[in-house]
Amino acid sequence: MKVAVFRKEHFNAAHRLYNPAWTDEKNDAVFGKCNNPNYHGHNYELIVQLKGEVNPETGYVYDMKVLSDLIKEQVLSKFDHKNLNLDTEEFKSLIPSAENIAVVIWKILREKIDRNYDLIVRLYETERNFVEYDGN
Amino acid sequence: MKVAVFRKEHFNAAHRLYNPAWTDEKNDAVFGKCNNPNYHGHNYELIVQLKGEVNPETGYVYDMKVLSDLIKEQVLSKFDHKNLNLDTEEFKSLIPSAENIAVVIWKILREKIDRNYDLIVRLYETERNFVEYDGN
Amino acid sequence: MKVAVFRKEHFNAAHRLYNPAWTDEKNDAVFGKCNNPNYHGHNYELIVQLKGEVNPETGYVYDMKVLSDLIKEQVLSKFDHKNLNLDTEEFKSLIPSAENIAVVIWKILREKIDRNYDLIVRLYETERNFVEYDGN
Amino acid sequence: MKVAVFRKEHFNAAHRLYNPAWTDEKNDAVFGKCNNPNYHGHNYELIVQLKGEVNPETGYVYDMKVLSDLIKEQVLSKFDHKNLNLDTEEFKSLIPSAENIAVVIWKILREKIDRNYDLIVRLYETERNFVEYDGN
Amino acid sequence: MKVAVFRKEHFNAAHRLYNPAWTDEKNDAVFGKCNNPNYHGHNYELIVQLKGEVNPETGYVYDMKVLSDLIKEQVLSKFDHKNLNLDTEEFKSLIPSAENIAVVIWKILREKIDRNYDLIVRLYETERNFVEYDGN
Amino acid sequence: MKVAVFRKEHFNAAHRLYNPAWTDEKNDAVFGKCNNPNYHGHNYELIVQLKGEVNPETGYVYDMKVLSDLIKEQVLSKFDHKNLNLDTEEFKSLIPSAENIAVVIWKILREKIDRNYDLIVRLYETERNFVEYDGN
C-alpha cells in the first residue's frame, strides 16, 4: 500500500537567463526581459513528492518534519535569498531556468532519500509558470 | 531527461448544459440549475502541461511566452468573453460541460504542438469542480 | 469591544455590460468584449463583513451559519446560475457591473441585518478585478 | 476517451498521533507536538478524482452533484467536526495520520463508486503537508 | 508617512464551543456540531497588521523577522498544536470562538508592541469564516 | 454612492536591502540574508484600490482596462524583470523595502489619477509579508 506525500517549501532568489555561447542579440531574442543583465527574481514555491509504503507503526510514509529539514538543509540553504547565477555552484555553467532548477533539486534530494521512495519535484516560478521533474 | 512544463491561463464565458434530444423536463432533472435557458457563466482556469526534453541551449522544454501566445491565439480568442453555446463552432452540437471543453481545447492544441511533447489539459470550472484530459 | 466577522460565499452567473441609451458602437467602444450580446460569465466570490459587539454568552458577533443562510436565501437564490440581465429584477434597468452588483447585494442585506452591525460587501468578479461597498 | 474529474470538499476535525504500543516517551520522540494528549486539529481539504468515459448524452464523466453528495454522506458525515481518535470507528485502532485518513477515505468511496472509474484521493492536512492515494 | 505592514502566520488547534452556564440542549441548539464534546479543530491563519512610520535608515516600519519571532513566542507557542479549551489559560473560562481568539491575540501582542503602532489582528478559522479586531 | 475598485497586477524583480551609510557588518546585522550583495528577488503582487463615485452611465467607478494599462505603463514597465537597486531611478538612493516600493508606486499613480479618487496601494513581497500605503 503506497501513498504519495507532499511537502511544500519556498525560497526567494535572483536569476538571469543567459547563454554565454551566444551573442547578446541572440540572448535578447531568445530570453527577452528574462535576460536582463542585472537580474530579476522570483518567489519559488517547491513541492517535493515522495511515494512509498505507509509504516504501520507511525502511519507515516516519511516524517514531514524530517523531509522539511532535509529540504532546508540541502536546497534552501543553497538557493534562498541567493543569486542563482553568481552565488551557486550548480548554476555556474547551467542556465537557471525553472526546468534546470527542478532537475538540480531532484538530483540533490535523490542522493539523500532512500531509493524505495519515488521522488517528484514540482517548482512554481510564478503562479502561472511551473515545472515538474520525476527523474525519467 | 524529460521535464513537464505548465502554463496557466484563464477565460470567462457563459454556457448552458442542455441536450436538445431530451425534453425540458429531462434536461431539468439531469442538469438542474446548469440548464438555465438564459445561461450562467464561469471564470475558467486553464492549465496546459507539456512534457518533453530540456533544450540544453536554452534550459527550456518549451518557451512559456510562445505557449502563452499559442493558448491566447488558439483558445482564448475563441472562448474568452463568449457564450460557448451560441458563439462557438465547437459547441454548436456538443454540450459545453467542463469535460467536453477540456477535450476540445486538448484537440485544438494537439494540432499545433509537436508530437514529441506529451500534452495534458486541466480545466477548473470552479475552485471545487475541475477536469483533466491527457488524450487517452 | 467590536469585532468584524466575514463570511465568504460564491455564485456563478452570466452577464453583459450594455447601456440601452447608447448606440451599439458606443457600447462596444466603452465595454469592449464585456458587451458581447450573447453574454459571458463569472464565478463571483462574495465576502460579507459585519462589525458589531461580541455576545459574551456565545463568543459570537453574528452566527456564521445564520449569516450564510441569509446570504443564500437573499442573494444566491436570486443570482446563482442566473443571467443577471435577463433573469433578475434588480438588473432589468441597471448595468450589472461588479460595482452595481455589490451595491445591490449591500442594499438587499442591509434590509435584513440589524443596524447595530456595520455592513461591508466585497465582490470578486475575477481574481484580478474586485470591488467593495460600505454604504457610504 | 477518458477524462478525469475532480471534486473538492473540506472537513474540520481534531486528532492526535499516538501509538498505544509505545511508551509516552517514544510517542513524544516520534510524533512531537502532534502527540499532544488533548488533541489538536485541522481544516482538511479533500479532492476526489474519478477517471472514466465521457457520457455523450450528458457530457459528464460523473455528475459532480452526485459525487459531492456521496462524499458528504459517506465521508463528511463521519469526520466533519469530529475527533478522529475518539468519535470514529475507523481510527479506533489506526493512527489518524494524513496517509491513513486518505487510505480510509479511498476505501470508503471505492465501495460506492463503480469499478469502471479509477479513483484517487488527495488530502491536504495543511497547505504545506498533503498526501495522495490511488489504491496501488 | 505611515505604512501598514502585515505578517501572516498559522497554527493548528482543537477547540469546542460550549457555554458551561447552559444546558447541553441549549449548547447543541446554539453551537450545533461546533459543540462536539470531543472537540474538532482548525488550521488557523493569523495576519498581524502594524501601521507606523517608515524608518528612513532601514525602509522598514517594523522588522518582519522580529514580528514573526514575536508572534511565534507570544502566540504560536501557546496555541499551536494545542486544545484551546484544555491546554490554555486564556480559554479556561472564555469560549474559544474566532472572535474571542482574535481579541485574545490582539491583547497579547498589544502588550509587546509599542503604542506608536496601530495594531489589527485578522484570524481565518476557515477560508470562508474569518474575523478582524482593531482594539475599538 | 462611493465604491472601492481593486485591480491586481504582478511583477518580478531582484533587489537588495542595503544602507550605504552603514558598515557591511551593520547591514548584515540589520538586513540579514536580504542584504546578499548579489541580490535576491520576488514575485511582487500589486493591488491598486480606487474609491470613487459610480458613473451611472457605465456602472463603473473606473474602467479596469484603463487602470490595468495605467499600472502597466507607469509601474510594471519600470520595475518588471528589473533589478530595483541598479535598473531604476526611484531606488538609486532609496532602500527598496516593500514599504518604500509601495510608497513609490502610490506616488507614481497619484500623479496620474484624478484626486476625486482615493488611492490605496497594497504590495505582497511574499504571501506572508505585505504592506499597504494610503497616502496618510
mmCIF file of all heavy atoms in Angstrom, chain A residues 12-14 33-34 36 38-43 45 80-83 86-87 125-127, chain F residues 12-14 33-34 36 38-43 45 80-83 86-87 125-127:
data_model
loop_
_atom_site.group_PDB
_atom_site.id
_atom_site.type_symbol
_atom_site.label_atom_id
_atom_site.label_comp_id
_atom_site.label_asym_id
_atom_site.label_seq_id
_atom_site.Cartn_x
_atom_site.Cartn_y
_atom_site.Cartn_z
ATOM 1 N N ASN A 12 13.351 32.479 -2.138
ATOM 2 C CA ASN A 12 13.372 33.674 -2.986
ATOM 3 C C ASN A 12 14.767 33.808 -3.575
ATOM 4 O O ASN A 12 15.752 33.709 -2.848
ATOM 5 C CB ASN A 12 13.060 34.917 -2.151
ATOM 6 C CG ASN A 12 11.799 34.737 -1.328
ATOM 7 O OD1 ASN A 12 10.799 34.253 -1.829
ATOM 8 N ND2 ASN A 12 11.858 35.095 -0.055
ATOM 9 N N ALA A 13 14.853 34.055 -4.862
ATOM 10 C CA ALA A 13 16.177 34.128 -5.488
ATOM 11 C C ALA A 13 16.152 35.067 -6.681
ATOM 12 O O ALA A 13 15.102 35.330 -7.266
ATOM 13 C CB ALA A 13 16.637 32.744 -5.927
ATOM 14 N N ALA A 14 17.339 35.578 -7.013
ATOM 15 C CA ALA A 14 17.521 36.328 -8.253
ATOM 16 C C ALA A 14 18.099 35.383 -9.299
ATOM 17 O O ALA A 14 18.796 34.413 -8.972
ATOM 18 C CB ALA A 14 18.471 37.503 -8.024
ATOM 19 N N LYS A 33 13.073 39.789 -21.697
ATOM 20 C CA LYS A 33 13.367 40.505 -20.450
ATOM 21 C C LYS A 33 13.950 39.592 -19.370
ATOM 22 O O LYS A 33 14.520 40.085 -18.390
ATOM 23 C CB LYS A 33 12.115 41.224 -19.956
ATOM 24 C CG LYS A 33 10.945 40.322 -19.666
ATOM 25 C CD LYS A 33 9.681 41.133 -19.351
ATOM 26 C CE LYS A 33 8.525 40.177 -19.083
ATOM 27 N NZ LYS A 33 7.267 40.844 -18.775
ATOM 28 N N CYS A 34 13.839 38.270 -19.554
ATOM 29 C CA CYS A 34 14.457 37.331 -18.595
ATOM 30 C C CYS A 34 15.979 37.374 -18.693
ATOM 31 O O CYS A 34 16.674 36.785 -17.854
ATOM 32 C CB CYS A 34 13.974 35.907 -18.830
ATOM 33 S SG CYS A 34 12.201 35.721 -18.561
ATOM 34 N N ASN A 36 17.723 40.209 -18.611
ATOM 35 C CA ASN A 36 18.214 41.463 -18.012
ATOM 36 C C ASN A 36 19.565 41.240 -17.321
ATOM 37 O O ASN A 36 19.657 40.433 -16.389
ATOM 38 C CB ASN A 36 17.174 41.977 -17.006
ATOM 39 C CG ASN A 36 17.630 43.232 -16.290
ATOM 40 O OD1 ASN A 36 18.501 43.963 -16.782
ATOM 41 N ND2 ASN A 36 17.048 43.476 -15.123
ATOM 42 N N ASN A 38 21.211 42.730 -15.144
ATOM 43 C CA ASN A 38 21.247 42.974 -13.696
ATOM 44 C C ASN A 38 20.322 42.051 -12.901
ATOM 45 O O ASN A 38 20.101 42.271 -11.719
ATOM 46 C CB ASN A 38 20.899 44.438 -13.414
ATOM 47 C CG ASN A 38 22.041 45.370 -13.787
ATOM 48 O OD1 ASN A 38 23.213 45.003 -13.692
ATOM 49 N ND2 ASN A 38 21.697 46.570 -14.249
ATOM 50 N N TYR A 39 19.777 41.033 -13.616
ATOM 51 C CA TYR A 39 18.971 40.015 -12.932
ATOM 52 C C TYR A 39 17.558 40.511 -12.592
ATOM 53 O O TYR A 39 17.289 41.697 -12.606
ATOM 54 C CB TYR A 39 19.657 39.521 -11.634
ATOM 55 C CG TYR A 39 21.102 39.177 -11.886
ATOM 56 C CD1 TYR A 39 22.124 40.093 -11.606
ATOM 57 C CD2 TYR A 39 21.439 37.962 -12.473
ATOM 58 C CE1 TYR A 39 23.446 39.795 -11.889
ATOM 59 C CE2 TYR A 39 22.770 37.667 -12.762
ATOM 60 C CZ TYR A 39 23.759 38.584 -12.466
ATOM 61 O OH TYR A 39 25.051 38.306 -12.765
ATOM 62 N N HIS A 40 16.689 39.546 -12.376
ATOM 63 C CA HIS A 40 15.387 39.800 -11.773
ATOM 64 C C HIS A 40 15.186 38.659 -10.755
ATOM 65 O O HIS A 40 16.160 37.964 -10.445
ATOM 66 C CB HIS A 40 14.278 39.859 -12.837
ATOM 67 C CG HIS A 40 14.089 38.568 -13.570
ATOM 68 N ND1 HIS A 40 14.970 38.129 -14.535
ATOM 69 C CD2 HIS A 40 13.151 37.601 -13.472
ATOM 70 C CE1 HIS A 40 14.567 36.958 -15.006
ATOM 71 N NE2 HIS A 40 13.471 36.606 -14.372
ATOM 72 N N GLY A 41 13.991 38.444 -10.240
ATOM 73 C CA GLY A 41 13.891 37.403 -9.223
ATOM 74 C C GLY A 41 12.491 36.865 -9.065
ATOM 75 O O GLY A 41 11.542 37.346 -9.708
ATOM 76 N N HIS A 42 12.388 35.853 -8.242
ATOM 77 C CA HIS A 42 11.116 35.161 -8.046
ATOM 78 C C HIS A 42 10.982 34.661 -6.610
ATOM 79 O O HIS A 42 11.975 34.411 -5.933
ATOM 80 C CB HIS A 42 11.020 33.937 -8.979
ATOM 81 C CG HIS A 42 10.983 34.278 -10.434
ATOM 82 N ND1 HIS A 42 9.913 34.887 -11.027
ATOM 83 C CD2 HIS A 42 11.894 34.101 -11.422
ATOM 84 C CE1 HIS A 42 10.169 35.063 -12.319
ATOM 85 N NE2 HIS A 42 11.361 34.597 -12.590
ATOM 86 N N ASN A 43 9.730 34.468 -6.195
ATOM 87 C CA ASN A 43 9.393 33.632 -5.046
ATOM 88 C C ASN A 43 9.145 32.226 -5.583
ATOM 89 O O ASN A 43 8.096 31.979 -6.184
ATOM 90 C CB ASN A 43 8.117 34.124 -4.362
ATOM 91 C CG ASN A 43 8.202 35.552 -3.878
ATOM 92 O OD1 ASN A 43 9.274 36.050 -3.558
ATOM 93 N ND2 ASN A 43 7.057 36.230 -3.837
ATOM 94 N N GLU A 45 8.081 28.468 -5.310
ATOM 95 C CA GLU A 45 7.382 27.511 -4.461
ATOM 96 C C GLU A 45 7.804 26.112 -4.897
ATOM 97 O O GLU A 45 7.714 25.761 -6.083
ATOM 98 C CB GLU A 45 5.854 27.655 -4.612
ATOM 99 C CG GLU A 45 5.299 28.975 -4.132
ATOM 100 C CD GLU A 45 5.189 29.061 -2.620
ATOM 101 O OE1 GLU A 45 5.272 28.010 -1.949
ATOM 102 O OE2 GLU A 45 5.020 30.184 -2.111
ATOM 103 N N ASP A 80 18.113 29.961 -1.199
ATOM 104 C CA ASP A 80 17.231 31.002 -0.672
ATOM 105 C C ASP A 80 17.991 32.318 -0.475
ATOM 106 O O ASP A 80 19.073 32.350 0.117
ATOM 107 C CB ASP A 80 16.633 30.551 0.671
ATOM 108 C CG ASP A 80 15.587 31.540 1.179
ATOM 109 O OD1 ASP A 80 14.877 32.137 0.346
ATOM 110 O OD2 ASP A 80 15.485 31.721 2.402
ATOM 111 N N HIS A 81 17.387 33.408 -0.965
ATOM 112 C CA HIS A 81 17.995 34.736 -0.880
ATOM 113 C C HIS A 81 19.370 34.764 -1.544
ATOM 114 O O HIS A 81 20.272 35.456 -1.093
ATOM 115 C CB HIS A 81 18.056 35.239 0.569
ATOM 116 C CG HIS A 81 16.728 35.742 1.060
ATOM 117 N ND1 HIS A 81 15.708 34.906 1.412
ATOM 118 C CD2 HIS A 81 16.251 37.003 1.227
ATOM 119 C CE1 HIS A 81 14.659 35.617 1.789
ATOM 120 N NE2 HIS A 81 14.950 36.888 1.680
ATOM 121 N N LYS A 82 19.483 34.030 -2.643
ATOM 122 C CA LYS A 82 20.725 33.994 -3.407
ATOM 123 C C LYS A 82 20.488 34.454 -4.848
ATOM 124 O O LYS A 82 19.356 34.503 -5.332
ATOM 125 C CB LYS A 82 21.277 32.552 -3.427
ATOM 126 C CG LYS A 82 21.711 32.039 -2.060
ATOM 127 C CD LYS A 82 22.921 32.783 -1.525
ATOM 128 C CE LYS A 82 23.185 32.427 -0.054
ATOM 129 N NZ LYS A 82 23.404 30.998 0.151
ATOM 130 N N ASN A 83 21.604 34.779 -5.487
ATOM 131 C CA ASN A 83 21.617 34.980 -6.931
ATOM 132 C C ASN A 83 22.041 33.648 -7.542
ATOM 133 O O ASN A 83 23.187 33.211 -7.349
ATOM 134 C CB ASN A 83 22.612 36.092 -7.283
ATOM 135 C CG ASN A 83 22.622 36.398 -8.771
ATOM 136 O OD1 ASN A 83 22.753 35.490 -9.588
ATOM 137 N ND2 ASN A 83 22.487 37.670 -9.124
ATOM 138 N N LEU A 86 25.229 33.737 -9.724
ATOM 139 C CA LEU A 86 26.507 34.164 -9.140
ATOM 140 C C LEU A 86 26.866 33.438 -7.854
ATOM 141 O O LEU A 86 28.044 33.255 -7.554
ATOM 142 C CB LEU A 86 26.458 35.671 -8.836
ATOM 143 C CG LEU A 86 26.243 36.604 -10.022
ATOM 144 C CD1 LEU A 86 26.237 38.049 -9.538
ATOM 145 C CD2 LEU A 86 27.315 36.407 -11.082
ATOM 146 N N ASP A 87 25.863 33.040 -7.088
ATOM 147 C CA ASP A 87 26.139 32.550 -5.730
ATOM 148 C C ASP A 87 26.127 31.039 -5.598
ATOM 149 O O ASP A 87 26.311 30.528 -4.488
ATOM 150 C CB ASP A 87 25.088 33.107 -4.740
ATOM 151 C CG ASP A 87 25.143 34.621 -4.589
ATOM 152 O OD1 ASP A 87 26.226 35.182 -4.753
ATOM 153 O OD2 ASP A 87 24.090 35.224 -4.307
ATOM 154 N N GLU A 125 7.682 28.867 -10.589
ATOM 155 C CA GLU A 125 8.467 30.099 -10.732
ATOM 156 C C GLU A 125 7.553 31.305 -10.527
ATOM 157 O O GLU A 125 7.937 32.303 -9.916
ATOM 158 C CB GLU A 125 9.102 30.136 -12.123
ATOM 159 C CG GLU A 125 10.148 31.210 -12.272
ATOM 160 C CD GLU A 125 10.923 31.079 -13.569
ATOM 161 O OE1 GLU A 125 10.460 31.625 -14.599
ATOM 162 O OE2 GLU A 125 11.976 30.432 -13.574
ATOM 163 N N THR A 126 6.362 31.192 -11.078
ATOM 164 C CA THR A 126 5.273 32.122 -10.772
ATOM 165 C C THR A 126 4.020 31.278 -10.641
ATOM 166 O O THR A 126 4.047 30.064 -10.880
ATOM 167 C CB THR A 126 5.049 33.177 -11.890
ATOM 168 O OG1 THR A 126 4.508 32.514 -13.043
ATOM 169 C CG2 THR A 126 6.342 33.879 -12.259
ATOM 170 N N GLU A 127 2.922 31.911 -10.287
ATOM 171 C CA GLU A 127 1.664 31.182 -10.201
ATOM 172 C C GLU A 127 1.276 30.615 -11.564
ATOM 173 O O GLU A 127 0.551 29.623 -11.653
ATOM 174 C CB GLU A 127 0.576 32.152 -9.702
ATOM 175 C CG GLU A 127 -0.702 31.515 -9.274
ATOM 176 C CD GLU A 127 -1.836 32.536 -9.181
ATOM 177 O OE1 GLU A 127 -1.564 33.764 -9.366
ATOM 178 O OE2 GLU A 127 -2.965 32.134 -8.939
ATOM 179 N N ASN F 12 8.009 40.848 -11.387
ATOM 180 C CA ASN F 12 9.107 40.079 -10.805
ATOM 181 C C ASN F 12 10.348 40.955 -10.830
ATOM 182 O O ASN F 12 10.675 41.546 -11.850
ATOM 183 C CB ASN F 12 9.374 38.812 -11.624
ATOM 184 C CG ASN F 12 8.097 38.018 -11.864
ATOM 185 O OD1 ASN F 12 7.307 37.840 -10.944
ATOM 186 N ND2 ASN F 12 7.882 37.586 -13.091
ATOM 187 N N ALA F 13 11.052 41.007 -9.710
ATOM 188 C CA ALA F 13 12.216 41.885 -9.657
ATOM 189 C C ALA F 13 13.260 41.333 -8.695
ATOM 190 O O ALA F 13 12.944 40.553 -7.789
ATOM 191 C CB ALA F 13 11.804 43.291 -9.232
ATOM 192 N N ALA F 14 14.506 41.767 -8.914
ATOM 193 C CA ALA F 14 15.585 41.499 -7.963
ATOM 194 C C ALA F 14 15.765 42.735 -7.093
ATOM 195 O O ALA F 14 15.501 43.864 -7.535
ATOM 196 C CB ALA F 14 16.883 41.188 -8.710
ATOM 197 N N LYS F 33 19.964 38.008 5.482
ATOM 198 C CA LYS F 33 20.138 37.476 4.136
ATOM 199 C C LYS F 33 19.542 38.392 3.062
ATOM 200 O O LYS F 33 19.878 38.259 1.889
ATOM 201 C CB LYS F 33 19.570 36.060 4.044
ATOM 202 C CG LYS F 33 18.107 35.945 4.381
ATOM 203 C CD LYS F 33 17.662 34.470 4.464
ATOM 204 C CE LYS F 33 16.183 34.407 4.806
ATOM 205 N NZ LYS F 33 15.662 33.033 4.856
ATOM 206 N N CYS F 34 18.680 39.336 3.460
ATOM 207 C CA CYS F 34 18.133 40.294 2.487
ATOM 208 C C CYS F 34 19.214 41.253 1.990
ATOM 209 O O CYS F 34 18.986 42.027 1.061
ATOM 210 C CB CYS F 34 16.979 41.083 3.093
ATOM 211 S SG CYS F 34 15.597 40.037 3.556
ATOM 212 N N ASN F 36 22.162 40.208 0.855
ATOM 213 C CA ASN F 36 23.064 39.492 -0.068
ATOM 214 C C ASN F 36 23.562 40.422 -1.183
ATOM 215 O O ASN F 36 22.751 40.964 -1.949
ATOM 216 C CB ASN F 36 22.309 38.301 -0.667
ATOM 217 C CG ASN F 36 23.153 37.529 -1.672
ATOM 218 O OD1 ASN F 36 24.386 37.564 -1.623
ATOM 219 N ND2 ASN F 36 22.477 36.834 -2.589
ATOM 220 N N ASN F 38 24.795 40.055 -4.026
ATOM 221 C CA ASN F 38 24.407 39.693 -5.395
ATOM 222 C C ASN F 38 22.905 39.680 -5.618
ATOM 223 O O ASN F 38 22.440 39.183 -6.643
ATOM 224 C CB ASN F 38 25.016 38.334 -5.753
ATOM 225 C CG ASN F 38 26.511 38.421 -5.994
ATOM 226 O OD1 ASN F 38 27.016 39.439 -6.483
ATOM 227 N ND2 ASN F 38 27.225 37.369 -5.637
ATOM 228 N N TYR F 39 22.152 40.175 -4.650
ATOM 229 C CA TYR F 39 20.695 40.325 -4.803
ATOM 230 C C TYR F 39 19.943 38.998 -4.637
ATOM 231 O O TYR F 39 20.523 37.930 -4.715
ATOM 232 C CB TYR F 39 20.339 40.964 -6.162
ATOM 233 C CG TYR F 39 21.187 42.182 -6.438
ATOM 234 C CD1 TYR F 39 22.320 42.096 -7.247
ATOM 235 C CD2 TYR F 39 20.886 43.393 -5.837
ATOM 236 C CE1 TYR F 39 23.120 43.212 -7.462
ATOM 237 C CE2 TYR F 39 21.689 44.508 -6.044
ATOM 238 C CZ TYR F 39 22.808 44.412 -6.856
ATOM 239 O OH TYR F 39 23.604 45.496 -7.055
ATOM 240 N N HIS F 40 18.682 39.129 -4.366
ATOM 241 C CA HIS F 40 17.736 38.021 -4.455
ATOM 242 C C HIS F 40 16.491 38.618 -5.130
ATOM 243 O O HIS F 40 16.580 39.720 -5.681
ATOM 244 C CB HIS F 40 17.442 37.449 -3.057
ATOM 245 C CG HIS F 40 16.780 38.408 -2.138
ATOM 246 N ND1 HIS F 40 17.448 39.456 -1.533
ATOM 247 C CD2 HIS F 40 15.486 38.520 -1.723
ATOM 248 C CE1 HIS F 40 16.615 40.145 -0.785
ATOM 249 N NE2 HIS F 40 15.417 39.607 -0.893
ATOM 250 N N GLY F 41 15.356 37.939 -5.115
ATOM 251 C CA GLY F 41 14.222 38.505 -5.849
ATOM 252 C C GLY F 41 12.887 37.993 -5.374
ATOM 253 O O GLY F 41 12.803 37.123 -4.503
ATOM 254 N N HIS F 42 11.854 38.574 -5.940
ATOM 255 C CA HIS F 42 10.484 38.261 -5.535
ATOM 256 C C HIS F 42 9.533 38.339 -6.727
ATOM 257 O O HIS F 42 9.789 39.056 -7.693
ATOM 258 C CB HIS F 42 9.992 39.256 -4.470
ATOM 259 C CG HIS F 42 10.747 39.191 -3.185
ATOM 260 N ND1 HIS F 42 10.647 38.143 -2.317
ATOM 261 C CD2 HIS F 42 11.632 40.054 -2.618
ATOM 262 C CE1 HIS F 42 11.433 38.362 -1.262
ATOM 263 N NE2 HIS F 42 12.041 39.508 -1.419
ATOM 264 N N ASN F 43 8.406 37.625 -6.597
ATOM 265 C CA ASN F 43 7.218 37.868 -7.397
ATOM 266 C C ASN F 43 6.355 38.840 -6.607
ATOM 267 O O ASN F 43 5.736 38.443 -5.620
ATOM 268 C CB ASN F 43 6.426 36.571 -7.615
ATOM 269 C CG ASN F 43 7.226 35.488 -8.301
ATOM 270 O OD1 ASN F 43 8.137 35.744 -9.066
ATOM 271 N ND2 ASN F 43 6.883 34.233 -8.009
ATOM 272 N N GLU F 45 3.136 40.958 -5.894
ATOM 273 C CA GLU F 45 1.730 41.103 -6.259
ATOM 274 C C GLU F 45 1.288 42.490 -5.819
ATOM 275 O O GLU F 45 1.462 42.867 -4.649
ATOM 276 C CB GLU F 45 0.865 40.037 -5.561
ATOM 277 C CG GLU F 45 1.160 38.619 -5.978
ATOM 278 C CD GLU F 45 0.562 38.255 -7.330
ATOM 279 O OE1 GLU F 45 -0.301 39.002 -7.835
ATOM 280 O OE2 GLU F 45 0.969 37.223 -7.877
ATOM 281 N N ASP F 80 9.215 45.647 -13.705
ATOM 282 C CA ASP F 80 9.096 44.218 -14.007
ATOM 283 C C ASP F 80 10.372 43.690 -14.660
ATOM 284 O O ASP F 80 10.888 44.275 -15.615
ATOM 285 C CB ASP F 80 7.900 43.982 -14.942
ATOM 286 C CG ASP F 80 7.643 42.494 -15.151
ATOM 287 O OD1 ASP F 80 7.882 41.705 -14.210
ATOM 288 O OD2 ASP F 80 7.222 42.129 -16.256
ATOM 289 N N HIS F 81 10.856 42.561 -14.128
ATOM 290 C CA HIS F 81 12.083 41.927 -14.639
ATOM 291 C C HIS F 81 13.277 42.889 -14.570
ATOM 292 O O HIS F 81 14.146 42.881 -15.433
ATOM 293 C CB HIS F 81 11.887 41.372 -16.060
ATOM 294 C CG HIS F 81 11.147 40.063 -16.076
ATOM 295 N ND1 HIS F 81 9.796 39.990 -15.870
ATOM 296 C CD2 HIS F 81 11.562 38.778 -16.238
ATOM 297 C CE1 HIS F 81 9.414 38.715 -15.919
ATOM 298 N NE2 HIS F 81 10.464 37.963 -16.137
ATOM 299 N N LYS F 82 13.291 43.669 -13.508
ATOM 300 C CA LYS F 82 14.381 44.612 -13.283
ATOM 301 C C LYS F 82 15.068 44.337 -11.947
ATOM 302 O O LYS F 82 14.515 43.647 -11.082
ATOM 303 C CB LYS F 82 13.841 46.063 -13.268
ATOM 304 C CG LYS F 82 13.285 46.517 -14.599
ATOM 305 C CD LYS F 82 14.349 46.648 -15.671
ATOM 306 C CE LYS F 82 13.743 46.876 -17.052
ATOM 307 N NZ LYS F 82 12.887 48.040 -17.131
ATOM 308 N N ASN F 83 16.267 44.894 -11.836
ATOM 309 C CA ASN F 83 16.957 44.950 -10.544
ATOM 310 C C ASN F 83 16.610 46.315 -9.958
ATOM 311 O O ASN F 83 17.031 47.356 -10.502
ATOM 312 C CB ASN F 83 18.461 44.800 -10.758
ATOM 313 C CG ASN F 83 19.227 44.793 -9.454
ATOM 314 O OD1 ASN F 83 19.048 45.685 -8.617
ATOM 315 N ND2 ASN F 83 20.086 43.789 -9.283
ATOM 316 N N LEU F 86 19.626 48.615 -9.178
ATOM 317 C CA LEU F 86 20.521 49.014 -10.276
ATOM 318 C C LEU F 86 19.802 49.607 -11.477
ATOM 319 O O LEU F 86 20.364 50.456 -12.175
ATOM 320 C CB LEU F 86 21.334 47.803 -10.764
ATOM 321 C CG LEU F 86 22.246 47.135 -9.742
ATOM 322 C CD1 LEU F 86 22.982 45.969 -10.405
ATOM 323 C CD2 LEU F 86 23.245 48.128 -9.156
ATOM 324 N N ASP F 87 18.595 49.154 -11.750
ATOM 325 C CA ASP F 87 17.942 49.493 -13.015
ATOM 326 C C ASP F 87 16.915 50.608 -12.897
ATOM 327 O O ASP F 87 16.286 50.958 -13.901
ATOM 328 C CB ASP F 87 17.218 48.263 -13.592
ATOM 329 C CG ASP F 87 18.165 47.139 -13.973
ATOM 330 O OD1 ASP F 87 19.321 47.431 -14.313
ATOM 331 O OD2 ASP F 87 17.736 45.974 -13.941
ATOM 332 N N GLU F 125 5.144 41.168 -0.978
ATOM 333 C CA GLU F 125 6.506 40.770 -1.321
ATOM 334 C C GLU F 125 6.588 39.238 -1.346
ATOM 335 O O GLU F 125 7.238 38.645 -2.193
ATOM 336 C CB GLU F 125 7.492 41.343 -0.306
ATOM 337 C CG GLU F 125 8.928 41.217 -0.746
ATOM 338 C CD GLU F 125 9.861 42.002 0.151
ATOM 339 O OE1 GLU F 125 10.290 41.474 1.195
ATOM 340 O OE2 GLU F 125 10.158 43.167 -0.181
ATOM 341 N N THR F 126 5.937 38.637 -0.376
ATOM 342 C CA THR F 126 5.686 37.196 -0.386
ATOM 343 C C THR F 126 4.257 37.022 0.105
ATOM 344 O O THR F 126 3.598 37.991 0.498
ATOM 345 C CB THR F 126 6.634 36.422 0.575
ATOM 346 O OG1 THR F 126 6.292 36.752 1.927
ATOM 347 C CG2 THR F 126 8.090 36.769 0.322
ATOM 348 N N GLU F 127 3.793 35.784 0.112
ATOM 349 C CA GLU F 127 2.452 35.513 0.623
ATOM 350 C C GLU F 127 2.356 35.896 2.096
ATOM 351 O O GLU F 127 1.286 36.207 2.608
ATOM 352 C CB GLU F 127 2.154 34.024 0.438
ATOM 353 C CG GLU F 127 0.734 33.638 0.665
ATOM 354 C CD GLU F 127 0.591 32.119 0.836
ATOM 355 O OE1 GLU F 127 1.615 31.394 0.718
ATOM 356 O OE2 GLU F 127 -0.518 31.681 1.104
#
